[in-house]
Amino acid sequence: LLNRRTIDERILELGRTNQEKNVGIMMMDIDHFKHINDTYGHQAGDAILKGIAARISSVADKGENLLARYGGEEFFVAIPGATSEILKETAEQIRMTVCLSPFDIHQTAPIPVSVSIGCYSAEKGFRGEISRAVRYADDALYRAKETGRNRVVEYQERPFDLNESVKSDAGSEGTSDVH
């Protein structure tokens, strides 16, 4: 897979692509990865990272899609031309591909692993930088982790509620909600 630096360089390219078509963004994180490293060791963790990269690729490495290891145990997928439905279906396929088969890395037993995935569909002509769409997908990822892990959550902006206390700084773009 590509690395974070390469994706950062290609974000501008995705922004130009988005002027002509939708761009679906996914951020995903391996659930309880620290536990895997602490229990089975870092070599086992590395084998799991490689295995998950292969499983993500088996589902999403098509056409002009961009796949990357974003950092640590986080992965990034961008799907130019994807509708919101295609994005969510692809994310769900990745999630199922990862969690349905435990990883047999020659431990006492195969290791079950799951991922949490956040999605954001930047519609054609999305107003703003694609980096903002990546932040939205990342916000949805954190919502997936907060609401139980091993799930796909699409970013949703909530309508502003005057009765709700504002906890964010003035530069905030909004909040996410599970859908």
Side-chain angles (χ1 to χ4, degrees):
L1 299 180
L2 300 173
N3 63 25
R4 167 77 183 265
R5 187 175 69 183
T6 303
I7 288 301
D8 287 345
E9 292 167 359
R10 294 209 180 158
I11 289 289
L12 290 174
E13 211 175 288
L14 284 173
R16 286 190 294 274
T17 299
N18 184 238
Q19 296 310 306
E20 299 171 13
K21 56 185 162 184
N22 297 350
V23 175
I25 305 287
M26 277 183 244
M27 292 294 295
M28 62 193 81
D29 189 70
I30 302 171
D31 296 328
H32 306 292
F33 188 68
K34 182 180 180 337
H35 174 74
I36 292 168
N37 276 335
D38 290 349
T39 303
Y40 303 102
H42 291 286
Q43 288 181 329
D46 287 346
I48 299 273
L49 286 168
K50 290 175 186 172
I52 287 180
R55 290 181 186 187
I56 292 168
S57 294
S58 75
V59 173
D61 193 9
K62 299 174 173 99
E64 56 186 327
N65 294 356
L66 294 175
L67 289 66
R69 181 167 170 207
Y70 204 70
E73 67 273 10
E74 285 189 324
F75 295 88
F76 169 92
V77 175
I79 306 176
T83 63
S84 177
E85 292 76 29
I86 289 171
L87 179 65
K88 289 184 288 190
E89 287 171 13
T90 304
E92 185 61 25
Q93 284 180 319
I94 290 170
R95 188 190 70 75
M96 294 298 290
T97 299
V98 168
C99 76
L100 283 181
S101 297
F103 288 82
D104 187 0
I105 56 170
H106 310 294
Q107 297 293 321
T108 54
I111 302 169
V113 179
S114 64
V115 292
S116 297
I117 304 175
C119 300
Y120 182 76
S121 182
E123 300 297 321
K124 177 182 171 183
F126 172 68
R127 291 177 32 185
E129 302 280 327
I130 282 293
S131 59
R132 190 172 86 200
V134 173
R135 280 195 316 271
Y136 287 170
D138 199 45
D139 287 349
L141 166 63
Y142 281 97
R143 181 60 66 131
K145 292 184 102 41
E146 290 169 356
T147 58
R149 302 179 198 265
N150 191 22
R151 64 189 61 220
V152 172
V153 172
E154 184 177 27
Y155 178 87
Q156 297 290 314
E157 287 189 69
R158 291 189 308 184
F160 184 70
D161 181 355
L162 292 174
N163 296 322
E164 186 175 296
S165 64
V166 177
K167 296 179 184 177
S168 60
D169 61 283
S172 173
E173 299 292 339
T175 58
S176 61
D177 203 350
V178 201
H179 163 16

